[in-house]
Amino acid sequence: MTSVARPRFPIILTILAVLLLGVLLALGVWQVQRMQWKEGLIASAEAAAGQPPLPLIEALKLENPEFRRVLLTCRGLAAAPYVELQSIEDSDAGVRLVSACAVEGGPTLLVDRGFVSAEISARPPVNVGDTMPVVITGVLRRAPAPSALTPPPAEGRFYGRDAEAMARALKVEGPVSPFTVFATTSTNPDWGALKPSAPPAAFTNNHLGYALTWFGLAVALIAFYAVLLRRRMTRKDTES
């Protein structure tokens, strides 16, 4: 009587498939979590934009003051030293002027005073002895760190929003707030070339699509493994 060899269960293939399935599912779950985080961020930005301006010191006491509209009083801001940040606004090349502001009862902050087109060579006057208070409204935003490919600053012009380097260039002593105030009213209303503005809270929320992609790959893996296993077992039965 001839004994029939039973098909061997593909243990190594199964282990690899289970490990890969775990990775795909983990990536899908991570994207779902990122989607929920992004939705919360968008909701908080929209809610903050609809609220009246807060005094800066009060806004900085909030758990998350980003995107809050604020009122800021800064001495000498209209004639303060500045660094230039290369920028594009509405397809127009130019620079944004960034100055430091020592807030009474608070930290030193960088103030993005607005955009100046590259077609304009003039700049606001600088007078370090000017102590005239300037009251502006603005939006608090965290300064994103420049990428490794960002060119280094040269001759007072920056190509990435490096808050620490800007503060050093402006000879700021002591700690600097991680937030930047983007002025939405002009520090120099008599100089119309300066266009104050806050960048839009533009968020891309493609995480659902990414999650579906990872989960789809997981389903495809399961189907592929099932077909491969069935063929293997069928072939073994035929050979036996």
Side-chain angles (χ1 to χ4, degrees):
M1 185 175 180
T2 305
S3 61
V4 179
R6 296 185 61 186
R8 279 177 154 187
F9 187 79
I11 297 177
I12 296 178
L13 177 63
T14 301
I15 291 174
L16 292 175
V18 169
L19 290 175
L20 182 55
L21 178 63
V23 171
L24 293 174
L25 291 175
L27 288 171
V29 171
W30 176 63
Q31 287 296 337
V32 170
Q33 293 171 341
R34 291 279 296 173
M35 178 184 68
Q36 294 171 342
W37 167 78
K38 186 66 68 67
E39 288 175 346
L41 193 61
I42 293 171
S44 66
E46 292 176 347
Q51 294 177 350
L54 275 177
L56 177 66
I57 297 301
E58 292 184 24
L60 291 175
K61 294 177 182 177
L62 298 174
E63 181 179 355
N64 182 18
E66 189 165 16
F67 305 112
R68 285 305 301 263
R69 296 168 61 209
V70 296
L71 288 170
L72 169 65
T73 300
C74 186
R75 290 188 174 276
L77 185 58
Y82 55 82
V83 294
E84 298 184 358
L85 173 64
Q86 191 74 31
S87 183
I88 295 178
E89 188 160 320
D90 296 330
S91 301
D92 185 16
V95 296
R96 299 188 71 92
L97 306 185
V98 181
S99 297
C101 177
V103 181
E104 294 182 9
T108 298
L109 288 94
L110 295 181
V111 179
D112 187 312
R113 296 163 60 181
F115 178 81
V116 180
S117 173
E119 297 177 354
I120 299 172
S121 59
R123 294 290 184 267
V126 174
N127 181 4
V128 294
D130 189 337
T131 59
M132 180 69 67
V134 176
V135 180
I136 60 170
T137 60
V139 178
L140 277 177
R141 297 290 292 271
R142 286 188 181 274
S147 71
L149 300 178
T150 302
E155 299 180 355
R157 178 167 295 191
F158 284 73
Y159 299 91
R161 199 174 287 277
D162 188 336
E164 293 184 1
M166 287 180 174
R168 289 195 299 269
L170 292 168
K171 297 180 172 54
V172 174
E173 297 181 359
V176 178
S177 172
F179 294 98
T180 294
V181 175
F182 285 82
T184 53
T185 57
S186 183
T187 60
N188 301 76
D190 56 339
W191 198 63
L194 179 63
K195 307 294 184 182
S197 63
F203 300 104
T204 56
N205 191 4
N206 300 322
H207 299 292
L208 177 59
Y210 297 148
L212 292 176
T213 299
W214 292 120
F215 288 138
L217 289 173
V219 171
L221 175 63
I222 293 172
F224 176 77
Y225 173 77
V227 170
L228 191 64
L229 180 62
R230 183 176 180 180
R231 287 182 178 178
R232 183 186 181 97
M233 301 299 281
T234 302
R235 185 171 65 249
K236 288 287 187 180
D237 287 339
T238 303
E239 292 174 354
S240 301

